[in-house]
Amino acid sequence: MKTKILVIGLGLIGGSLAKALMRHDDTVIFGYDSDALTVRKAYKMGIIHQAALSLEEAAAEADFIFLATPVGAAKKLLQQSRFWKLRDGVIISDTGSTKMEIMEAAENLGHVFIGGHPMAGSHKSGVEAAKDVLFENAYYILTPGPLAEPSHINKIKELIKVTKAKVEVLSAKEHDHMTSIVSHFPHLIAASLVHQLDREQQYPFTRQLAAGGFRDITRIASSDPVMWRDITTQNNTMIAAQLDQWMDEMAHLKSLLTANEEEPIRRYFEKAKSVRDQLPIAGHGAMYSVFDLYIDIPDIPGIISEVTGYLAEEDISIVNLRILETREDVFGILVISFQTAEDRENAKACISKRTAYDVYIS
């Protein structure tokens, strides 16, 4: 008998999860979305085996149910599920970016709930952007509920192993604390930096200077405002605690600037460099990122099409490209972004083989 899986919400994450789970030969993937057109697209694209015409009927047949919706919608679905006639032994999970709220909502569910957070993303959204490789080498966090026994955790681990994600089990509190540090809080900092730039009126040319490194370090401020409103309000306590620590850090930094002594300031930057240089390069972290490759190129006509042409010949897909600096008679820096570390390594080998340009990872 085949394992029946219902994926509710067929956007980027739900669609990618469904498509990856189709690698199992012994599964049937049902898909449901509030937008009927999205469900039809998912079926035509081969992302699901069957469209779920009735949510309750599909849920009643499912061995696994994944709520691939925003946390607010997932909480409402959990409330509805109390009236569904579900199978004994069904395992319900979600894909939300915060875990404490959803775990609280599932406390008295009466069925096994194991929270989930696949830490992957894309610069695109919607079912059209779904790909079965999205979770490869990304962390997939599981947060088991009170009814989840080791056998249940092993079942869902075995199921999602096909995504090639790195599965870790944490408590909801641990998850929300960690992501507040390395994902949620940095979004607030990026947004605040952009607000500070927006307040600059004395020298309007400042915005032109922001086209390089400033734009890069504030890239995440361009993320979906509604999504980040929800994440911030759902994890506000943890994020506020990080803000308190940040303000203490800024007070310390201000004291260094006020004293204006060279050696303490150098040590401050030295420690920051040391810690940053020890961070892992390979794989995905809690924050969606692309994998950048830096190429020193001469400022001559056709140079960008030359480089991208080499990548096209070897079927290496790029996410984005930009030029950090090009001036006449000097080398500029072409930055090419890739979806995976593997694509970046293949691109580095390709360009190094075809050209004499310096190619490196920053």
Side-chain angles (χ1 to χ4, degrees), residues 10-206:
L10 296 172
L12 171 69
I13 298 299
S16 297
L17 179 60
K19 194 170 185 180
L21 293 176
M22 287 186 75
R23 294 173 181 168
H24 287 291
D25 293 330
D26 58 346
T27 59
V28 177
I29 312 295
F30 294 86
Y32 180 87
D33 195 279
S34 57
D35 180 12
L37 179 59
T38 295
V39 180
R40 289 197 293 270
K41 284 181 181 178
Y43 178 73
K44 289 181 179 178
M45 292 170 64
I47 289 174
I48 57 176
H49 290 117
Q50 293 183 37
L53 302 179
S54 165
L55 181 55
E56 289 189 29
E57 289 179 7
E61 294 185 37
D63 299 296
F64 293 90
I65 300 174
F66 289 92
L67 311 178
T69 66
V71 173
K75 288 167 64 176
K76 291 179 181 178
L77 286 166
L78 286 177
Q79 290 294 329
Q80 294 176 27
S81 73
R82 300 175 191 276
F83 304 100
W84 297 345
K85 296 179 180 179
L86 301 179
R87 284 185 174 182
D88 291 336
V90 64
I91 296 176
I92 305 174
S93 187
D94 77 314
T95 61
S97 300
T98 59
K99 298 269 61 89
M100 290 181 69
E101 276 200 10
I102 194 72
M103 298 308 295
E104 289 173 3
E107 272 185 1
N108 301 311
L109 190 60
H111 295 282
V112 174
F113 183 83
I114 302 175
H117 179 198
M119 293 182 172
S122 172
H123 63 298
K124 298 179 181 179
S125 60
V127 69
E128 297 86 354
K131 55 178 66 177
D132 60 354
V133 298
L134 185 67
F135 306 130
E136 289 188 8
N137 298 314
Y139 282 105
Y140 197 125
I141 306 300
L142 297 178
T143 55
L147 298 182
E149 299 177 358
S151 60
H152 299 126
I153 298 170
N154 288 335
K155 278 184 181 180
I156 197 166
K157 274 186 174 182
E158 191 64 28
L159 183 72
I160 62 179
K161 185 169 69 174
V162 73
T163 67
K164 300 183 181 178
K166 295 179 287 189
V167 181
E168 297 286 342
V169 178
L170 301 172
S171 71
K173 184 176 181 180
E174 288 172 329
H175 171 277
D176 286 3
H177 176 81
M178 293 178 190
T179 54
S180 74
I181 297 172
V182 297
S183 176
H184 306 164
F185 181 64
H187 275 80
L188 267 67
I189 298 304
S192 69
L193 289 173
V194 175
H195 276 278
Q196 184 160 324
L197 172 66
D198 189 51
R199 286 195 298 269
E200 171 55 46
Q201 302 296 330
Q202 186 175 3
Y203 300 108
F205 188 65
T206 304

Side-chain angles (χ1 to χ4, degrees), residues 88-352:
D88 291 336
V90 64
I91 296 176
I92 305 174
S93 187
D94 77 314
T95 61
S97 300
T98 59
K99 298 269 61 89
M100 290 181 69
E101 276 200 10
I102 194 72
M103 298 308 295
E104 289 173 3
E107 272 185 1
N108 301 311
L109 190 60
H111 295 282
V112 174
F113 183 83
I114 302 175
H117 179 198
M119 293 182 172
S122 172
H123 63 298
K124 298 179 181 179
S125 60
V127 69
E128 297 86 354
K131 55 178 66 177
D132 60 354
V133 298
L134 185 67
F135 306 130
E136 289 188 8
N137 298 314
Y139 282 105
Y140 197 125
I141 306 300
L142 297 178
T143 55
L147 298 182
E149 299 177 358
S151 60
H152 299 126
I153 298 170
N154 288 335
K155 278 184 181 180
I156 197 166
K157 274 186 174 182
E158 191 64 28
L159 183 72
I160 62 179
K161 185 169 69 174
V162 73
T163 67
K164 300 183 181 178
K166 295 179 287 189
V167 181
E168 297 286 342
V169 178
L170 301 172
S171 71
K173 184 176 181 180
E174 288 172 329
H175 171 277
D176 286 3
H177 176 81
M178 293 178 190
T179 54
S180 74
I181 297 172
V182 297
S183 176
H184 306 164
F185 181 64
H187 275 80
L188 267 67
I189 298 304
S192 69
L193 289 173
V194 175
H195 276 278
Q196 184 160 324
L197 172 66
D198 189 51
R199 286 195 298 269
E200 171 55 46
Q201 302 296 330
Q202 186 175 3
Y203 300 108
F205 188 65
T206 304
R207 287 181 180 243
Q208 299 303 313
L209 299 180
F214 184 90
R215 195 174 191 277
D216 288 340
I217 65 173
T218 57
R219 172 183 57 83
I220 53 178
S222 292
S223 301
D224 180 8
V226 174
M227 178 182 75
W228 280 99
R229 175 203 66 192
D230 292 345
I231 289 173
T232 302
T233 54
Q234 291 155 12
N235 202 23
N236 64 311
T237 302
M238 295 288 190
I239 299 172
Q242 293 305 314
L243 183 58
D244 288 337
Q245 293 186 37
W246 169 264
M247 293 175 74
D248 290 341
E249 183 68 23
M250 289 302 97
H252 171 59
L253 183 55
K254 184 177 180 180
S255 70
L256 292 178
L257 295 174
T258 302
N260 202 29
E261 296 177 3
E262 293 183 357
E263 186 57 22
I265 292 174
R266 184 197 65 78
R267 287 198 301 268
Y268 186 86
F269 287 119
E270 182 179 59
K271 182 178 180 181
K273 180 182 186 305
S274 175
V275 173
R276 199 270 182 183
D277 289 350
Q278 293 176 52
L279 297 178
I281 295 175
H284 296 275
M287 186 185 299
Y288 164 64
S289 63
V290 290
F291 297 87
D292 290 340
L293 187 66
Y294 294 76
I295 308 158
D296 288 342
I297 57 170
D299 188 7
I300 57 177
I303 190 66
I304 295 177
S305 60
E306 174 195 339
V307 172
T308 56
Y310 295 146
L311 299 178
E313 288 176 14
E314 297 197 15
D315 199 27
I316 301 172
S317 179
I318 68 174
V319 171
N320 193 16
L321 58 83
R322 60 196 186 280
I323 301 171
L324 295 189
E325 177 184 16
T326 52
R327 296 193 302 271
E328 188 176 358
D329 298 328
V330 300
F331 275 68
I333 302 174
L334 175 64
V335 185
I336 305 181
S337 303
F338 301 90
Q339 182 73 39
T340 66
E342 182 181 6
D343 284 346
R344 180 173 63 183
E345 288 302 320
N346 290 338
K348 183 179 179 182
C350 168
I351 296 169
S352 298

